[in-house]
Amino acid sequence: MRNKIMAKKFEIQGRILENRYISGKTWLLRVEVPEEVIKNTKPASFAMIKPTPNNYFDPLLRRAFAIADIENKSILLFYDIHGKGTSFLTSRKENEEISILAPLGNNFFPENYDNYIIVGGGIGFAGLSLLMKELRKKGKNFISLYGARTKEELSMMEWINKNSFDVKYYTDDGSFGKKGFVTQDLKEIAEGMENVAFAVCGPTPMMKAVSKIAKELNIPCYLSLESRMACGIGICIGCVIKDKENDTYIRVCYEGPVFEANKIELL
């Protein structure tokens, strides 16, 4: 693996500035955090959120969400409703304190390529949005592709429009953008580009498809993995994946969340 860029981690009480429904099953959570969290957050950093108030212990464990953006003194998180924890999180109100462990992760997207192709699927696009802002700030060239099953699941469109990004959209049912998978034009887009890398986050089948194309074209491919996590700091060993190079298992939360596609085995 690449040398890890270590991030400082802080357990803090953030203040909820916004918690609202976006579309599909996705909500937006904006939380005011200390300056130390802002300064140490990198593209692909994530946060572990306690969905309930501090005196509630059901559900017991935190939930992991990508830090999608930084605005002034706040971090922006997008989350899908999946179960008890995320359902409870939707009930949290503006100005309430919320317990956060952030920023987490020790391995992030490299920024030493001339060109990037950003490939996001569903809520996974939130793992790439901060990278897009950083690349634009540094004057890098990039093309962004965003796919989902339906228009409703393209829940980052509001953020994309607000930040004036040019994104190519794909939906399985053709309800918005081009009908079909987000990977269908990838080979054509990538061919002929020099010093280019893929940056990917989304469902496992999509990441496998992008990884296959990257291998065929001999293009570096970096995957920001989404995984269920209990601790987020490498202690519980609950989010491991296969490291093909060393024939061992590594933790998504600690050795990742970003890995080179050809060095790991996606299940």
Side-chain angles (χ1 to χ4, degrees), residues 84-186:
K84 192 172 186 177
T86 45
S87 294
F88 198 105
L89 188 56
T90 64
S91 69
R92 304 300 301 275
K93 305 299 183 185
E94 185 178 332
N95 290 320
E96 284 185 7
E97 286 194 344
I98 188 166
S99 178
I100 301 176
L101 186 61
L104 298 174
N106 292 315
N107 214 33
F108 308 103
F109 289 113
E111 298 177 20
N112 57 324
Y113 294 90
D114 294 329
N115 299 285
Y116 292 80
I117 300 176
I118 310 292
V119 188
I123 195 67
F125 201 83
L128 301 164
S129 48
L130 190 56
L131 173 66
M132 291 165 59
K133 291 190 79 171
E134 288 297 307
L135 293 176
R136 182 163 65 181
K137 186 188 301 184
K138 295 182 178 183
K140 300 280 188 176
N141 298 314
F142 62 94
I143 296 172
S144 300
L145 314 179
Y146 183 15
R149 288 180 293 181
T150 67
K151 180 181 178 180
E152 270 203 332
E153 295 182 32
L154 294 170
S155 48
M156 292 282 294
M157 280 203 298
E158 178 185 303
W159 180 90
I160 290 165
N161 294 332
K162 176 183 176 182
N163 287 278
S164 302
F165 283 110
D166 183 18
V167 172
K168 299 180 185 295
Y169 294 99
Y170 298 81
T171 50
D172 294 0
D173 65 356
S175 54
F176 191 81
K178 192 170 183 178
K179 184 175 182 179
F181 295 149
V182 70
T183 52
Q184 65 191 39
D185 299 323
L186 188 54

Side-chain angles (χ1 to χ4, degrees), residues 2 8 11 13 26 43 46 65 69 73 95 115 140 147 154 157 160 163 171 174 208 223 230 232 247 254 257 259 267:
R2 290 176 292 116
K8 292 183 179 179
E11 185 171 8
Q13 293 295 313
T26 303
F46 65 96
F65 304 118
D69 199 2
K73 296 180 180 180
N95 290 320
N115 299 285
K140 300 280 188 176
L154 294 170
M157 280 203 298
I160 290 165
N163 287 278
T171 50
K208 285 183 176 180
L223 310 176
D247 193 28
Y254 192 79
F259 300 93
L267 302 177

Side-chain angles (χ1 to χ4, degrees), residues 5-23:
I5 305 170
M6 304 298 289
K8 292 183 179 179
K9 302 164 182 62
F10 303 90
E11 185 171 8
I12 56 102
Q13 293 295 313
R15 182 171 69 91
I16 296 175
L17 302 179
E18 188 177 12
N19 187 25
R20 63 181 172 90
Y21 174 72
I22 298 292
S23 65

Side-chain angles (χ1 to χ4, degrees), residues 37-56:
V37 175
I38 302 297
K39 288 192 303 184
N40 286 280
T41 295
K42 305 175 187 298
S45 291
F46 65 96
M48 295 291 290
I49 305 291
K50 188 178 188 300
T52 56
N54 288 342
N55 57 336
Y56 282 65

